[in-house]
Amino acid sequence: MNKADLVDEVQKLLGNGTSKAAAERATDAVLAAVKRGLRRDKEVSLVGFGTFALAVRPARNGYNPHTQ
């Protein structure tokens, strides 16, 4: 599911009187709140949905299979 599909689902859930622009604003507001929470607390937990957390991972060494 991409963001456009998510906006469509939010619009359906909010009802017939909701415009696509309003559904997109609501979706953007939720995503912005999750981003802000990750910056501040390093973890966001939504009961019944999931937990988002920042993780630091070391860089991996890639290779070009055409030159190997």
Side-chain angles (χ1 to χ4, degrees):
M1 175 180 275
N2 59 23
K3 185 178 175 186
D5 295 336
L6 183 60
V7 169
D8 289 339
E9 287 296 319
V10 169
Q11 183 182 15
K12 288 177 190 174
L13 290 172
L14 291 176
N16 293 336
T18 305
S19 68
K20 185 169 264 193
E24 186 169 5
R25 284 193 303 271
T27 303
D28 288 340
V30 170
L31 294 176
V34 169
K35 286 179 189 177
R36 202 171 316 127
L38 285 172
R39 276 191 220 117
R40 185 181 60 228
D41 301 327
K42 307 294 187 227
E43 184 176 8
V44 175
S45 179
L46 302 174
V47 177
F49 183 72
T51 301
F52 301 92
L54 295 178
V56 177
R57 296 183 186 166
R60 68 180 191 93
N61 290 327
Y63 70 95
N64 185 346
H66 294 288
T67 60
Q68 295 291 324

